[in-house]
Amino acid sequence: MIAKVIVDISNSEVDKIFDYLIPSNFELSVGDRVLVPFGSRSIEGFCIKITDYSDGNFKLKPIIKKLDEKPLIKKEMLELADFMREKFYLRFVDVLRLFIPSKLRGNKVKALQREYCTLAGDTESLKSLISPRAKSQLAIIDRLKYGGEYLTVLNTEFSPSVINSLVQKGIIIKSKQEVLRKPASENDNKCADKVLLTDTQKKAIEQINSFDKRVVLLHGVTGSGKTEVYMSLIENVLQQGKTAIALVPEISLTPQIMRVFRARFGDDIAMLHSGLSDGERYDEWRRIFEGDAKIVVGARSAIFAPLENLGIIIIDEEHDSSYISESNPRFRTLEVAEFRAKYNNCKVILGSATPSVESYNNARLNRIGLAEMNKRISINGMPEIQIIDMAKELHTGNFSVFSNELKEKLLETISNGNQAMIFINRRGYASYMQCKSCGYIAKCSDCDIALTYHKEDNMLKCHYCGKKFKPLDICPNCHSESIKQGKIGTEKVVRELQTLLGDNVKILRMDNDTTTTKTAYLDILGAFRRGEAQVLVGTQMIVKGHDFPNVTLVGVLDADMSLYFSDYRSCERTYQLITQVSGRAGRKDKCGQVIIQTYSPKHYLFNFVKNYDYKGFFEKELNTRQVTNFPPFTTIIRVLVTNEVEEKSLNCTKKIYDNLKELKLEYDREFVYLQAMKSPINKIQNKYRYQIVLRIKRSFESEIVGKIYKIVDNNKQGNSVFVEINPQNMS
Ligand code: ADP
Ligand code: ZN
Ligand code: ZN
């Protein structure tokens, strides 16, 4: 027989399947990981098909060996791989890599083994072999009466020499046993008080179950108790012997959901996200693969968890852009979820307080189901939102970053023993450094981007490539020493807050800079939850999903920051961001209030935010999109060309553009826009960026995108070219 094998080589441009002979002395199944000869080397690969013919007419080499007992890629995943290759134009090997932890391939991590001690026989008869005076030996036997223990643990309780003598007598048997590496999670060992579902929650669950639609959107305001709904749905699925996947948009949200889920479902939960160590990921993955974990929680890559018999897939905060992987390899989580749900005949639940325009529109058009929860669990209802005009503050002589109102409320919150969260979507100390005399701005040498000043390490940092530079003290251009700093970021906010609130108030900061270590976000969120700090200052990271019962005040600084980005989603994004962060206030027994500071208080968006009028916002936004021909009415495609040599990327862009112009002639009525240009950030990591942006009628998406890929493939000429569909980020 012949095996069709995908070889696991990284830098090959080809998506090729190779034929190998299956030696008669072993059995091979589809999905098996194998070692095959490849040129002069031997390489790992995956068997994706077994046939009795070969297309080539040269002599086939035999497979060297099979690497695991069972196929690592199950049938469902092989079909998913085919789907993803077609849908997202991916190479087979890249898809398979998404499915299997990187370090499992090539056997780079192994199961962790520890010495384990068990009794050699029945307790009483073993005891009779020992002198009654050997108290500690008897104690060890008693300790192992109900089951074995790791040697390292026994060593902390008994003297190693006594343990050893029992081993020598053959009373204790030492063996190797695997220890599972468990990812850290927020742990307060609390058992869940079983809550009674509210009528609203019950109704939502009934609605979800009654739809015959594959996908259901659960639109529930912040604090409406969506997590509890997810848990009920999962419980139901587990009772039928099925399994569940629950996705959250960000690693920083996994500890919280794990804490709640563990309290409810015990230890049968596995976690998959990029914050795990290789060993942890390997162990969690195998627990899922072997069927020991029934629930998988994680960020988007957890959608590939090798669970069998899926009963439900939950995508929490479905509007979040992290569910779309735009490169390497690109995929949209929802489409993968829909495939798996169809395969397993189960539902996908999209949860959000601020659904994406796309999803809500799908619900409106009855393409997906819709269940709504308009009320908070807390009797205090939604927190009151106040919009503060910062221009007015300036007029009245307040030059601080905090409005008088916010200052007052902060002091009040703290003196009442409550907690506050301050959101600012900019990390570092100051957004740029600029010469006051000539206007020179310090930029990254590799990127076309102003550098951010970080006071803590007294450095200028590039937020695109991470490169660090000395701060500007003398202008290299005109030698002036008068340097101005740009807009403030999290670091400076913390400093100013400390001055305002005094040294006794503890302030935590959460952003990319404070969460570089593996457990940092756990430590920060845990400390805040335990009340060890009164204020949490942070970027996007603190916005989503968090449930801190003592937070009564939320402050939003620079709320309009993302409003004027040249991106069709900027309004939607800003609405989501502000509504989500506001939703952190007053979630349990205490009333919450929200203060939003802005220089454009008249913008219509704030009225919708203030009145919690999602539908109003949605209708206005949808209308704008329709009038201006933007998604969901059209599809935006960006072809991004990058090269270290500017001319090369420019020439390649021109070639592709010429071809696209011809394509436009062919599809004249379907094209609504076609333009080539420099990318807004013209250089990142020393690569020059040019782009072609086009918009086409939605119904022709798959047909035209296929042709665009062909054009790109024929005109790449050594450039890196990316085709992005409705890109999340146009920079
Ligand atoms: P959401 O995800 O919708 O923003 P959560 O699921 O975090 O809201 O729930 C908000 C708060 O309400 C949580 O503290 C949760 O424990 C609590 N809660 C949820 N459902 C109930 C219920 N049926 N009875 C009492 N408390 C509940
Ligand atoms: Zn200067
Ligand atoms: Zn840079």
Side-chain angles (χ1 to χ4, degrees):
M1 294 295 270
I2 285 152
K4 307 256 174 206
V5 173
I6 299 288
V7 289
D8 195 358
I9 11 178
S10 52
N11 40 22
S12 132
E13 286 279 314
V14 287
D15 188 25
K16 243 180 125 177
I17 299 166
F18 294 92
D19 289 358
Y20 287 93
L21 275 177
I22 305 175
S24 53
N25 59 344
F26 69 74
E27 254 173 53
L28 196 74
S29 316
V30 171
D32 268 329
R33 188 168 61 122
V34 292
L35 200 66
V36 292
F38 194 78
S40 56
R41 303 180 285 164
S42 45
I43 277 190
E44 258 183 48
F46 292 95
C47 167
I48 56 152
K49 204 172 173 189
I50 294 175
T51 61
D52 49 12
Y53 66 93
S54 173
D55 306 327
N57 50 4
F58 37 85
K59 197 166 175 291
L60 296 181
K61 291 181 181 167
I63 287 174
I64 301 170
K65 67 174 173 185
K66 189 166 120 169
L67 291 164
D68 317 274
E69 272 169 38
K70 285 190 274 185
L72 284 193
I73 301 170
K74 298 176 181 174
K75 183 163 169 285
E76 177 189 356
M77 300 315 269
L78 277 172
E79 287 186 21
L80 176 60
D82 274 333
F83 167 78
M84 289 180 70
R85 278 176 24 150
E86 241 174 63
K87 187 84 205 178
F88 307 122
Y89 301 87
L90 298 175
R91 291 188 306 157
F92 230 131
V93 54
D94 291 324
V95 180
L96 298 187
R97 282 176 183 178
L98 281 173
F99 294 175
I100 294 180
S102 63
K103 291 292 157 58
L104 194 157
R105 305 189 322 260
N107 291 339
K108 289 183 208 82
V109 275
K110 298 211 160 57
L112 184 64
Q113 304 236 317
R114 287 264 161 75
E115 289 199 288
Y116 193 74
C117 301
T118 42
L119 290 181
D122 137 76
T123 317
E124 291 315 313
S125 45
L126 290 176
K127 273 183 170 175
S128 67
L129 302 174
I130 293 172
S131 139
R133 273 173 304 154
K135 288 266 155 53
S136 40
Q137 296 196 10
L138 290 171
I140 297 177
I141 295 177
D142 272 329
R143 168 70 169 78
L144 296 176
K145 196 153 63 179
Y146 299 111
E149 182 55 276
Y150 291 105
L151 183 62
T152 44
V153 179
L154 279 188
N155 276 337
T156 62
E157 298 169 14
F158 304 95
S159 130
S161 62
V162 185
I163 301 172
N164 247 336
S165 72
L166 285 174
V167 173
Q168 265 153 28
K169 284 181 198 158
I171 290 176
I172 287 182
I173 296 169
K174 268 207 264 183
S175 60
K176 294 260 184 190
Q177 225 184 56
E178 179 174 0
V179 200
L180 288 174
R181 287 156 283 210
K182 277 267 168 83
S185 70
E186 229 180 289
N187 215 338
D188 54 4
N189 291 327
K190 239 199 257 156
C191 236
D193 324 323
K194 175 98 183 172
V195 301
L196 286 176
L197 293 177
T198 62
D199 287 343
T200 318
Q201 285 169 324
K202 277 190 212 148
K203 201 172 144 234
I205 292 170
E206 270 165 33
Q207 262 182 310
I208 289 171
N209 288 332
S210 69
F211 281 119
D212 59 355
K213 297 267 188 302
R214 180 78 57 211
V215 182
V216 180
L217 174 64
L218 172 61
H219 174 215
V221 295
T222 59
S224 57
K226 292 187 286 295
T227 319
E228 209 52 52
V229 171
Y230 301 152
M231 289 198 290
S232 290
L233 293 169
I234 292 177
E235 195 159 45
N236 188 13
V237 156
L238 294 181
Q239 275 161 6
Q240 300 167 33
K242 297 185 179 172
T243 61
I245 294 178
L247 304 180
V248 289
E250 213 171 282
I251 303 176
S252 71
L253 281 169
T254 49
Q256 173 175 303
I257 190 168
M258 281 302 275
R259 187 171 51 88
V260 191
F261 273 33
R262 278 221 176 103
R264 174 77 156 262
F265 300 115
D267 270 341
D268 286 353
I269 312 171
M271 210 191 303
L272 282 182
H273 58 69
S274 58
L276 305 183
S277 72
D278 291 331
E280 287 165 355
R281 185 171 311 115
Y282 176 72
D283 288 357
E284 291 289 87
W285 191 87
R286 282 182 314 144
R287 278 177 63 215
I288 304 165
F289 183 77
E290 299 294 346
D292 294 334
K294 304 275 184 242
I295 305 174
V296 174
V297 166
R300 71 168 177 233
S301 59
I303 194 64
F304 303 113
L307 282 170
E308 272 175 84
N309 207 2
L310 265 175
I312 194 163
I313 299 171
I314 287 158
I315 305 182
D316 192 24
E317 314 286 356
E318 66 86 26
H319 59 277
D320 199 90
S321 62
S322 73
Y323 287 121
I324 290 160
S325 165
E326 295 210 302
S327 59
N328 264 338
R330 57 192 163 258
F331 66 89
R332 289 182 291 266
T333 307
L334 176 57
E335 279 162 76
V336 177
E338 280 182 279
F339 179 92
R340 295 200 69 179
K342 198 165 163 199
Y343 188 95
N344 290 282
N345 193 23
C346 72
K347 284 200 167 104
V348 180
I349 312 299
L350 304 176
S352 179
T354 52
S356 64
V357 167
E358 175 90 39
S359 294
Y360 203 80
N361 187 48
N362 283 337
R364 184 186 69 106
L365 297 173
N366 230 357
R367 292 182 188 142
I368 62 176
L370 176 67
E372 304 205 70
M373 301 199 293
N374 299 322
K375 273 210 316 260
R376 271 199 166 178
I377 296 282
S378 159
I379 48 159
N380 296 315
M382 304 307 290
E384 192 202 326
I385 297 179
Q386 228 176 310
I387 313 287
I388 306 282
D389 181 353
M390 288 309 276
K392 256 193 202 150
E393 296 281 316
L394 278 181
H395 276 302
T396 57
N398 176 14
F399 298 103
S400 143
V401 283
F402 308 114
S403 59
N404 288 321
E405 188 70 23
L406 183 55
K407 283 186 200 167
E408 223 169 83
K409 293 279 156 62
L410 269 166
L411 291 164
E412 192 183 298
T413 302
I414 299 209
S415 69
N416 289 340
N418 294 324
Q419 290 177 303
M421 286 168 84
I422 303 289
F423 166 74
I424 173 156
N425 211 3
R426 200 184 294 117
R427 65 194 170 94
Y429 192 81
S431 59
Y432 58 84
M433 277 188 152
Q434 184 177 28
C435 167
K436 273 189 187 168
S437 344
C438 76
Y440 170 87
I441 288 185
K443 279 192 172 180
C444 176
S445 57
D446 298 353
C447 311
D448 183 27
I449 270 292
L451 295 164
T452 305
Y453 179 50
H454 289 249
K455 193 162 188 144
E456 261 171 21
D457 0 61
N458 195 29
M459 284 279 182
L460 286 168
K461 284 189 200 167
C462 173
H463 284 185
Y464 274 81
C465 71
K467 219 171 174 178
K468 293 175 188 169
F469 301 82
K470 277 213 222 98
L472 205 60
D473 36 27
I474 296 173
C475 172
N477 195 27
C478 73
H479 307 291
S480 156
E481 285 179 27
S482 102
I483 305 291
K484 153 177 134 180
Q485 291 180 355
K487 293 205 166 129
I488 78 164
T490 46
E491 243 187 72
K492 193 165 182 187
V493 170
V494 170
R495 285 203 179 213
E496 305 228 331
L497 266 179
Q498 204 77 66
T499 318
L500 176 73
L501 302 173
D503 287 339
N504 290 334
V505 172
K506 180 103 173 78
I507 303 168
L508 291 167
R509 190 179 108 216
M510 192 154 118
D511 55 28
N512 274 340
D513 300 304
T514 62
T515 49
T516 48
T517 65
K518 224 181 114 217
T519 58
Y521 62 92
L522 265 176
D523 298 340
I524 297 172
L525 295 172
F528 193 59
R529 184 178 302 284
R530 292 188 298 270
E532 289 160 24
Q534 290 74 53
V535 187
L536 176 63
V537 174
T539 53
Q540 304 247 19
M541 280 186 183
I542 66 167
V543 168
K544 303 160 202 158
H546 296 292
D547 188 36
F548 299 111
N550 281 321
V551 170
T552 56
L553 176 68
V554 164
V556 180
L557 311 183
D558 264 355
D560 28 20
M561 206 184 123
S562 54
L563 204 49
Y564 300 107
F565 285 173
S566 57
D567 179 332
Y568 76 96
R569 282 198 192 87
S570 60
C571 240
E572 178 180 356
R573 287 269 160 75
T574 310
Y575 179 85
Q576 288 164 344
L577 204 61
I578 300 179
T579 305
Q580 289 289 344
V581 68
S582 303
R584 302 313 114 208
R587 292 170 68 85
K588 258 282 156 66
D589 316 318
K590 298 172 177 171
C591 266
Q593 45 185 331
V594 179
I595 295 188
I596 297 176
Q597 300 188 169
T598 170
Y599 284 95
S600 27
K602 296 251 156 59
H603 196 289
Y604 65 83
L605 186 99
F606 291 112
N607 251 329
F608 293 127
V609 169
K610 208 173 138 172
N611 299 321
Y612 294 99
D613 184 6
Y614 175 81
K615 277 193 195 115
F617 163 76
F618 168 80
E619 269 153 29
K620 168 125 187 141
E621 185 65 26
L622 195 72
N623 188 34
T624 311
R625 304 262 185 104
Q626 183 158 30
V627 172
T628 53
N629 259 325
F630 271 91
F633 300 96
T634 57
T635 300
I636 299 184
I637 299 160
R638 167 165 87 156
V639 180
L640 175 69
V641 182
T642 77
N643 197 310
E644 282 175 15
V645 183
E646 183 161 15
E647 216 182 310
K648 284 191 184 163
S649 61
L650 184 58
N651 285 338
C652 174
T653 308
K654 278 185 186 149
K655 274 239 167 72
I656 296 175
Y657 181 62
D658 287 341
N659 279 282
L660 288 176
K661 275 201 291 203
E662 272 170 39
L663 187 68
K664 183 172 183 281
L665 292 179
E666 198 181 322
Y667 287 94
D668 199 32
R669 292 176 48 195
E670 282 69 44
F671 268 67
V672 289
Y673 182 87
L674 173 66
Q675 208 53 260
M677 64 197 88
K678 267 188 182 176
S679 294
I681 301 177
N682 189 217
K683 188 174 78 166
I684 293 180
Q685 284 182 299
N686 267 330
K687 286 193 170 163
Y688 289 88
R689 301 152 56 83
Y690 284 82
Q691 65 188 34
I692 302 158
V693 178
L694 49 125
R695 295 206 303 271
I696 53 174
K697 294 220 177 105
R698 203 189 154 106
S699 43
F700 282 78
E701 181 182 313
S702 53
E703 190 177 328
I704 294 179
V705 168
K707 301 207 165 173
I708 292 177
Y709 270 108
K710 280 219 183 78
I711 291 175
V712 165
D713 280 340
N714 293 335
N715 293 283
K716 265 187 178 166
Q717 300 167 316
N719 292 273
S720 305
V721 186
F722 306 90
V723 179
E724 302 164 341
I725 300 180
N726 294 336
Q728 299 292 314
N729 176 351
M730 294 277 267
S731 58

